[in-house]
Amino acid sequence: RRKLRQPFEAVPEVSGLRVLLLDDVCTTGATLARATECLLAAGAFSVDVAVAARASRHSALPGNGGAGRSLP
């Protein structure tokens, strides 16, 4: 996993706020972790994260011919 350098910059207006990060798909979590670090460093009171989906750690499920289909 490559380390994210400095893709985010939080504005000082987050100081003291409770922040909710929304992401459509979480793959490794590195982006959310780095964004959270930046928000907390800028003074956010807390950071919560919500994701719609999490990428599978497996390229294919057993018995599906390697198609990578999701479970029903």
Side-chain angles (χ1 to χ4, degrees):
R1 187 185 318 174
R2 229 173 51 197
K3 196 172 189 177
L4 294 173
R5 294 206 174 110
Q6 200 61 31
F8 303 104
E9 181 179 338
V11 294
E13 289 82 5
V14 300
S15 183
L17 296 179
R18 292 181 172 145
V19 178
L20 174 62
L21 283 179
L22 301 173
D23 196 0
D24 55 351
V25 178
C26 177
T27 306
T28 65
T31 302
L32 292 171
R34 185 66 185 122
T36 299
E37 289 172 7
C38 289
L39 288 163
L40 291 172
F45 177 76
S46 66
V47 179
D48 291 304
V49 176
V51 297
R54 175 139 175 94
S56 173
R57 296 181 195 269
H58 306 286
S59 60
L61 297 171
N64 72 0
R69 292 178 288 171
S70 60
L71 293 172

Coordinates of all heavy atoms in Angstrom, one line a residue:
R1 N 0.8 -1.2 0.0 CA 0.0 0.0 0.0 C 0.9 1.2 0.0 O 1.8 1.4 0.8 CB -0.9 0.0 1.2 CG -1.9 1.0 1.3 CD -2.7 1.1 2.5 NE -3.1 -0.2 3.1 CZ -3.7 -0.3 4.2 NH1 -4.0 0.8 4.9 NH2 -4.1 -1.5 4.6
R2 N 0.7 2.1 -1.0 CA 1.4 3.4 -1.0 C 0.9 4.4 0.0 O -0.3 4.5 0.2 CB 1.3 4.0 -2.4 CG 2.6 4.3 -3.0 CD 2.5 4.7 -4.4 NE 1.5 5.8 -4.6 CZ 0.9 6.1 -5.7 NH1 1.3 5.5 -6.8 NH2 0.0 7.0 -5.8
K3 N 1.8 5.1 0.6 CA 1.4 6.0 1.6 C 1.0 7.3 1.0 O 1.7 7.9 0.1 CB 2.6 6.3 2.6 CG 2.2 7.0 3.8 CD 3.4 7.0 4.8 CE 3.0 7.5 6.1 NZ 4.1 7.5 7.1
L4 N -0.2 7.9 1.4 CA -0.6 9.1 0.9 C 0.2 10.2 1.4 O 0.5 10.3 2.6 CB -2.1 9.4 1.2 CG -3.1 8.4 0.6 CD1 -4.5 8.6 1.2 CD2 -3.1 8.6 -0.9
R5 N 0.7 11.1 0.6 CA 1.5 12.2 1.1 C 0.7 13.4 1.7 O 0.5 13.5 2.8 CB 2.5 12.7 0.0 CG 3.4 11.5 -0.4 CD 4.7 12.1 -1.0 NE 5.6 10.9 -1.2 CZ 6.0 10.4 -2.3 NH1 5.5 11.0 -3.4 NH2 6.8 9.4 -2.4
Q6 N 0.2 14.3 0.8 CA -0.5 15.4 1.3 C -1.7 15.8 0.4 O -1.7 16.9 -0.1 CB 0.5 16.6 1.5 CG 0.0 17.7 2.4 CD -0.2 17.3 3.8 OE1 0.4 16.4 4.3 NE2 -1.2 17.8 4.5
P7 N -2.6 14.8 0.2 CA -3.7 15.1 -0.7 C -4.8 16.0 -0.2 O -5.6 16.5 -0.9 CB -4.2 13.7 -1.1 CG -4.0 13.0 0.2 CD -2.7 13.5 0.7
F8 N -4.8 16.2 1.2 CA -5.9 16.9 1.8 C -5.3 18.1 2.6 O -4.2 18.1 3.1 CB -6.6 16.1 2.8 CG -7.2 14.8 2.2 CD1 -6.6 13.6 2.4 CD2 -8.3 14.9 1.4 CE1 -7.1 12.5 1.8 CE2 -8.8 13.7 0.8 CZ -8.2 12.5 1.0
E9 N -6.2 19.1 2.7 CA -5.9 20.3 3.5 C -7.2 20.7 4.1 O -8.1 21.1 3.4 CB -5.3 21.4 2.7 CG -4.9 22.6 3.5 CD -4.3 23.7 2.6 OE1 -3.8 23.4 1.6 OE2 -4.4 24.9 3.1
A10 N -7.3 20.7 5.4 CA -8.5 21.1 6.1 C -8.4 22.6 6.4 O -7.4 23.2 6.8 CB -8.6 20.3 7.4
V11 N -9.5 23.3 6.3 CA -9.6 24.7 6.6 C -9.8 24.9 8.1 O -10.4 24.1 8.8 CB -10.8 25.4 5.8 CG1 -10.5 25.3 4.3 CG2 -12.1 24.7 6.1
P12 N -9.3 26.1 8.6 CA -9.4 26.3 10.0 C -10.9 26.4 10.5 O -11.1 26.2 11.7 CB -8.8 27.7 10.2 CG -8.0 27.9 9.0 CD -8.6 27.1 7.9
E13 N -11.8 26.6 9.7 CA -13.2 26.6 10.1 C -13.8 25.3 10.7 O -14.8 25.3 11.3 CB -14.1 27.1 8.9 CG -14.0 28.5 8.5 CD -12.8 28.8 7.6 OE1 -12.1 27.8 7.2 OE2 -12.5 30.0 7.3
V14 N -13.0 24.2 10.5 CA -13.5 22.9 11.1 C -13.1 22.9 12.6 O -13.6 22.0 13.3 CB -12.8 21.7 10.4 CG1 -13.2 21.7 8.9 CG2 -11.4 21.6 10.6
S15 N -12.4 23.8 13.1 CA -12.0 23.8 14.5 C -13.2 23.8 15.4 O -14.1 24.6 15.3 CB -11.1 25.0 14.8 OG -10.7 25.0 16.2
G16 N -13.3 22.8 16.3 CA -14.3 22.6 17.2 C -15.6 21.9 16.7 O -16.5 21.6 17.4
L17 N -15.6 21.6 15.4 CA -16.8 21.0 14.8 C -16.7 19.4 14.8 O -15.6 18.9 14.9 CB -16.9 21.4 13.3 CG -17.2 22.9 13.1 CD1 -17.3 23.1 11.6 CD2 -18.4 23.3 13.8
R18 N -17.9 18.8 14.8 CA -18.0 17.4 14.6 C -18.2 17.2 13.1 O -19.1 17.7 12.5 CB -19.2 16.8 15.4 CG -19.0 16.9 16.8 CD -20.1 16.3 17.6 NE -19.8 16.3 19.0 CZ -20.6 16.4 20.0 NH1 -21.9 16.7 19.7 NH2 -20.2 16.4 21.2
V19 N -17.3 16.4 12.5 CA -17.3 16.3 11.0 C -17.7 14.8 10.7 O -17.3 13.9 11.3 CB -15.9 16.5 10.5 CG1 -15.9 16.3 9.0 CG2 -15.5 18.0 10.8
L20 N -18.6 14.7 9.6 CA -18.9 13.4 9.1 C -18.4 13.3 7.7 O -18.7 14.1 6.8 CB -20.5 13.3 9.0 CG -21.0 12.0 8.4 CD1 -20.5 10.8 9.1 CD2 -22.5 12.1 8.3
L21 N -17.5 12.4 7.5 CA -16.9 12.1 6.2 C -17.8 11.0 5.5 O -18.1 10.0 6.1 CB -15.5 11.5 6.3 CG -14.4 12.5 6.6 CD1 -13.1 11.7 6.6 CD2 -14.3 13.5 5.5
L22 N -18.2 11.3 4.3 CA -19.0 10.3 3.5 C -18.2 9.8 2.3 O -17.6 10.6 1.6 CB -20.3 11.0 3.0 CG -21.2 11.5 4.0 CD1 -22.3 12.3 3.4 CD2 -21.7 10.4 4.9
D23 N -18.2 8.5 2.1 CA -17.4 7.9 1.0 C -18.3 6.9 0.3 O -19.1 6.2 1.0 CB -16.1 7.3 1.5 CG -15.1 7.0 0.4 OD1 -15.4 7.3 -0.8 OD2 -14.1 6.4 0.7
D24 N -18.3 6.8 -1.0 CA -19.1 5.9 -1.7 C -18.5 4.4 -1.6 O -19.3 3.5 -1.3 CB -19.3 6.2 -3.2 CG -18.0 6.4 -3.9 OD1 -16.9 6.5 -3.3 OD2 -18.0 6.6 -5.2
V25 N -17.2 4.3 -1.8 CA -16.6 3.0 -1.7 C -15.3 3.1 -0.9 O -14.4 3.9 -1.3 CB -16.3 2.3 -3.0 CG1 -15.6 1.0 -2.9 CG2 -17.6 2.2 -3.8
C26 N -15.1 2.3 0.1 CA -13.9 2.2 0.9 C -13.1 1.0 0.4 O -13.6 -0.1 0.5 CB -14.2 2.1 2.4 SG -12.7 2.0 3.4
T27 N -11.9 1.3 -0.1 CA -11.1 0.2 -0.6 C -10.1 -0.3 0.5 O -10.3 -1.3 1.1 CB -10.3 0.6 -1.8 OG1 -11.3 1.0 -2.8 CG2 -9.6 -0.6 -2.5
T28 N -9.1 0.5 0.8 CA -8.1 0.2 1.8 C -8.3 1.0 3.1 O -7.8 0.6 4.2 CB -6.7 0.5 1.4 OG1 -6.5 1.9 1.2 CG2 -6.4 -0.3 0.1
G29 N -9.0 2.1 3.0 CA -9.3 2.9 4.2 C -8.2 4.0 4.4 O -8.3 4.9 5.2
A30 N -7.1 4.0 3.5 CA -6.0 4.9 3.6 C -6.5 6.3 3.4 O -6.0 7.3 4.1 CB -4.9 4.5 2.7
T31 N -7.3 6.5 2.4 CA -7.8 7.9 2.1 C -8.6 8.5 3.3 O -8.4 9.6 3.7 CB -8.6 7.9 0.8 OG1 -7.8 7.4 -0.2 CG2 -9.1 9.3 0.5
L32 N -9.5 7.7 3.8 CA -10.3 8.1 4.9 C -9.5 8.4 6.1 O -9.7 9.3 6.9 CB -11.4 7.1 5.2 CG -12.5 7.0 4.2 CD1 -13.4 5.8 4.5 CD2 -13.3 8.2 4.1
A33 N -8.5 7.5 6.4 CA -7.6 7.7 7.5 C -6.8 9.0 7.4 O -6.7 9.8 8.4 CB -6.7 6.5 7.7
R34 N -6.3 9.3 6.2 CA -5.5 10.5 6.0 C -6.4 11.8 6.1 O -6.0 12.7 6.7 CB -4.8 10.5 4.6 CG -3.9 11.6 4.4 CD -2.7 11.5 5.4 NE -1.9 12.7 5.2 CZ -1.6 13.6 6.2 NH1 -2.0 13.4 7.4 NH2 -0.9 14.6 5.9
A35 N -7.6 11.7 5.5 CA -8.5 12.8 5.6 C -8.9 13.1 7.1 O -8.9 14.3 7.5 CB -9.7 12.6 4.8
T36 N -9.1 12.0 7.9 CA -9.4 12.2 9.3 C -8.3 12.8 10.0 O -8.5 13.7 10.9 CB -9.8 10.8 9.9 OG1 -10.9 10.3 9.2 CG2 -10.0 10.9 11.4
E37 N -7.0 12.4 9.8 CA -5.9 13.0 10.4 C -5.8 14.5 10.1 O -5.5 15.2 11.1 CB -4.6 12.3 9.9 CG -4.4 10.9 10.3 CD -3.2 10.2 9.7 OE1 -2.4 10.9 8.9 OE2 -3.0 9.0 9.8
C38 N -6.0 14.9 8.9 CA -5.9 16.3 8.6 C -7.0 17.1 9.3 O -6.8 18.2 9.7 CB -6.0 16.5 7.0 SG -4.6 15.9 6.1
L39 N -8.2 16.5 9.3 CA -9.3 17.3 10.0 C -9.0 17.4 11.5 O -9.3 18.5 12.1 CB -10.6 16.5 9.8 CG -11.2 16.7 8.3 CD1 -12.2 15.6 8.1 CD2 -11.7 18.1 8.1
L40 N -8.6 16.3 12.1 CA -8.2 16.4 13.5 C -7.1 17.4 13.8 O -7.1 18.2 14.8 CB -7.9 15.0 14.1 CG -9.1 14.1 14.2 CD1 -8.7 12.7 14.5 CD2 -10.2 14.6 15.1
A41 N -6.1 17.4 12.9 CA -5.0 18.3 13.1 C -5.4 19.7 12.9 O -4.8 20.6 13.5 CB -3.9 17.9 12.1
A42 N -6.4 20.0 12.1 CA -7.0 21.3 11.9 C -7.9 21.7 13.1 O -8.4 22.9 13.1 CB -7.7 21.4 10.6
G43 N -8.1 20.8 14.0 CA -8.9 21.2 15.2 C -10.3 20.7 15.3 O -11.1 21.1 16.2
A44 N -10.7 19.8 14.4 CA -12.0 19.2 14.4 C -12.2 18.5 15.8 O -11.3 17.9 16.3 CB -12.3 18.2 13.3
F45 N -13.4 18.7 16.4 CA -13.7 18.0 17.7 C -13.7 16.5 17.5 O -13.1 15.8 18.3 CB -15.0 18.5 18.2 CG -15.4 17.9 19.5 CD1 -14.8 18.2 20.7 CD2 -16.4 16.9 19.5 CE1 -15.2 17.6 21.9 CE2 -16.8 16.3 20.7 CZ -16.2 16.7 21.9
S46 N -14.3 16.0 16.5 CA -14.4 14.6 16.2 C -14.6 14.4 14.7 O -15.1 15.3 14.0 CB -15.5 13.9 17.0 OG -16.7 14.3 16.6
V47 N -14.3 13.2 14.2 CA -14.6 12.8 12.8 C -15.2 11.4 12.8 O -14.6 10.5 13.3 CB -13.3 12.8 12.0 CG1 -13.6 12.4 10.6 CG2 -12.6 14.2 12.0
D48 N -16.4 11.3 12.2 CA -17.0 10.1 12.0 C -17.0 9.8 10.5 O -17.0 10.7 9.7 CB -18.5 10.1 12.5 CG -18.5 10.2 14.0 OD1 -18.0 9.3 14.7 OD2 -19.2 11.1 14.5
V49 N -17.0 8.5 10.2 CA -16.9 8.1 8.8 C -18.1 7.2 8.4 O -18.4 6.3 9.2 CB -15.6 7.3 8.5 CG1 -15.5 6.8 7.1 CG2 -14.4 8.3 8.8
A50 N -18.7 7.4 7.3 CA -19.8 6.5 6.8 C -19.4 6.2 5.4 O -19.1 7.0 4.6 CB -21.1 7.2 6.9
V51 N -19.6 4.9 5.0 CA -19.3 4.4 3.7 C -20.5 3.6 3.2 O -21.2 2.9 4.0 CB -18.0 3.6 3.6 CG1 -16.8 4.4 3.9 CG2 -18.1 2.3 4.4
A52 N -20.8 3.7 1.9 CA -21.9 3.0 1.3 C -21.5 1.6 1.0 O -22.4 0.7 1.1 CB -22.3 3.7 0.0
A53 N -20.3 1.3 0.7 CA -19.8 0.0 0.3 C -18.3 -0.2 0.7 O -17.6 0.8 0.7 CB -20.0 -0.3 -1.1
R54 N -17.9 -1.4 1.0 CA -16.5 -1.7 1.2 C -16.1 -2.7 0.2 O -16.8 -3.7 -0.1 CB -16.4 -2.3 2.6 CG -15.0 -2.7 2.9 CD -14.6 -2.4 4.3 NE -13.3 -2.9 4.6 CZ -12.2 -2.2 4.5 NH1 -12.2 -1.0 4.0 NH2 -11.0 -2.7 4.8
A55 N -15.0 -2.4 -0.4 CA -14.4 -3.3 -1.5 C -14.0 -4.6 -0.8 O -13.5 -4.6 0.3 CB -13.2 -2.7 -2.2
S56 N -14.2 -5.7 -1.5 CA -13.8 -7.0 -1.0 C -12.3 -7.2 -1.0 O -11.6 -6.7 -1.9 CB -14.4 -8.1 -2.0 OG -14.0 -9.4 -1.6
R57 N -11.8 -7.9 0.0 CA -10.4 -8.2 0.0 C -10.0 -9.3 -0.9 O -8.9 -9.7 -1.0 CB -10.0 -8.5 1.5 CG -10.2 -7.3 2.4 CD -9.7 -7.6 3.8 NE -10.2 -6.7 4.7 CZ -9.5 -5.6 5.1 NH1 -8.4 -5.3 4.6 NH2 -10.0 -4.8 6.0
H58 N -11.0 -10.0 -1.4 CA -10.8 -11.2 -2.3 C -11.2 -10.8 -3.7 O -12.2 -10.1 -4.0 CB -11.7 -12.3 -1.8 CG -11.4 -12.6 -0.3 ND1 -10.3 -13.2 0.1 CD2 -12.2 -12.4 0.8 CE1 -10.3 -13.3 1.4 NE2 -11.5 -12.8 1.8
S59 N -10.4 -11.3 -4.7 CA -10.7 -11.0 -6.1 C -11.9 -11.7 -6.6 O -12.5 -11.3 -7.5 CB -9.5 -11.2 -6.9 OG -9.1 -12.6 -6.8
A60 N -12.2 -12.9 -6.0 CA -13.3 -13.6 -6.5 C -13.8 -14.5 -5.4 O -13.1 -14.9 -4.5 CB -12.9 -14.5 -7.7
L61 N -15.1 -14.8 -5.4 CA -15.7 -15.7 -4.4 C -15.6 -17.1 -4.8 O -15.7 -17.4 -6.0 CB -17.2 -15.3 -4.2 CG -17.4 -13.9 -3.6 CD1 -18.9 -13.6 -3.7 CD2 -16.9 -13.8 -2.2
P62 N -15.4 -18.1 -3.9 CA -15.4 -19.5 -4.3 C -16.6 -19.9 -5.0 O -17.7 -19.5 -4.6 CB -15.2 -20.2 -3.0 CG -14.9 -19.2 -2.0 CD -15.3 -17.9 -2.5
G63 N -16.5 -20.7 -6.1 CA -17.6 -21.3 -6.7 C -18.3 -20.4 -7.7 O -19.4 -20.7 -8.3
N64 N -17.8 -19.2 -8.0 CA -18.5 -18.3 -9.0 C -17.7 -18.2 -10.3 O -17.9 -17.3 -11.0 CB -18.8 -17.0 -8.4 CG -17.7 -16.1 -8.1 OD1 -16.5 -16.5 -8.4 ND2 -17.9 -14.9 -7.6
G65 N -16.7 -19.1 -10.5 CA -15.9 -19.0 -11.7 C -15.0 -17.8 -11.8 O -14.6 -17.5 -12.9
G66 N -14.7 -17.2 -10.7 CA -13.8 -16.1 -10.7 C -14.4 -14.8 -11.2 O -13.7 -13.8 -11.5
A67 N -15.7 -14.8 -11.3 CA -16.4 -13.6 -11.9 C -16.4 -12.4 -10.9 O -16.7 -11.3 -11.3 CB -17.8 -14.0 -12.3
G68 N -16.1 -12.7 -9.6 CA -16.2 -11.6 -8.6 C -17.5 -11.1 -8.3 O -17.7 -10.0 -7.9
R69 N -18.5 -11.9 -8.6 CA -19.9 -11.5 -8.3 C -20.1 -11.4 -6.8 O -19.5 -12.1 -6.0 CB -20.9 -12.6 -8.8 CG -20.9 -12.6 -10.3 CD -21.9 -13.7 -10.8 NE -21.3 -15.0 -10.5 CZ -21.9 -16.1 -10.6 NH1 -23.1 -16.2 -10.9 NH2 -21.3 -17.2 -10.3
S70 N -21.0 -10.5 -6.4 CA -21.3 -10.4 -5.0 C -22.3 -11.5 -4.5 O -23.0 -12.1 -5.3 CB -21.9 -9.0 -4.7 OG -23.1 -8.8 -5.4
L71 N -22.4 -11.7 -3.2 CA -23.3 -12.6 -2.7 C -24.7 -12.1 -2.8 O -24.9 -10.9 -2.8 CB -23.0 -12.9 -1.2 CG -21.6 -13.6 -1.0 CD1 -21.3 -13.6 0.5 CD2 -21.7 -15.0 -1.5
P72 N -25.7 -13.0 -2.8 CA -27.1 -12.5 -2.9 C -27.5 -11.8 -1.7 O -27.0 -11.9 -0.6 CB -27.9 -13.8 -3.2 CG -27.0 -14.9 -3.0 CD -25.6 -14.4 -2.9

